[in-house]
Amino acid sequence: MYGSRAKIAFMLPSSCLIFEPEFVKLTAGLGDVIGIPARLLLEDTALGGIGSMNDGIELAARQLATTAPDVALYMCTTGSFMDGRDGDDEIKRTLGRIIPGAKITTTSEAVVDAMAAQGMKSVAMLTPYDEETTNREVAFLQSHGIVCPEFRFRDIYENLDRGSVLPEESLRIASEFDVSAVDGIFLSCGNVRSVEILDELESRTGKPVVSSAQASIWKSIRLAGITEPVAGYGSLLREH
């Protein structure tokens, strides 16, 4: 049966076109690991629209529960940090209640755990969001003891436009950060291509790099008991 090694279920925004290809790319060498998606209807990337999207979490969880997954991931960075730690915890409780046989995580939890694994207490952050959403992410990271002294938000409103951002663009912008006073770099949003530039960005800056998709996949496969390194997509997957 497909997924005999691990079935990783994830719910993601309906207009996210990036995470699934990146999941396939990063897990390609791990044997019989499959990703099982469910989509949450997203019509507006403002915080109110993300809140409306989250109204669909229970239905998506019930759909994913029918596959008896080993791991269940809520894959949206904004949706998991927008209401702070309490909001992120509530998402995890909902998934755990509806999919009791699975290990549960969210993108924001995965990002925080990835930063801890990399010894990152301060980060330079690049987001595609608006200023209000980015400031909420800064506050969420601070609640976990991670400061963000330097960040840039790109104010890209449409989710399909975020998915169209070339990874080379993100590489150019993130390479311009002054990283002398931070422990690493964070590329936020699971709908912006980034995994193919992580090694190069680490090489250019001399700092570890975490991205939303990379951290989500790393956390999910580790929860599934898969411990071997994955090369080519940053030091997190290669060394932790």
Side-chain angles (χ1 to χ4, degrees), residues 125-177:
M125 179 173 69
L126 176 63
T127 89
Y129 317 132
D130 60 17
E131 184 173 13
E132 180 185 7
T133 304
T134 301
N135 284 336
R136 286 213 190 186
E137 185 160 33
V138 170
F140 180 84
L141 292 175
Q142 287 177 338
S143 75
H144 286 274
I146 301 160
V147 297
C148 192
E150 185 170 4
F151 60 87
R152 178 170 173 181
F153 57 92
R154 299 198 61 196
D155 223 358
I156 303 172
Y157 183 76
E158 295 293 340
N159 209 29
L160 291 177
D161 290 339
R162 295 175 182 178
S164 297
V165 172
L166 294 175
E168 292 79 11
E169 261 186 89
S170 297
L171 177 63
R172 175 184 59 79
I173 295 168
S175 295
E176 295 171 356
F177 281 133

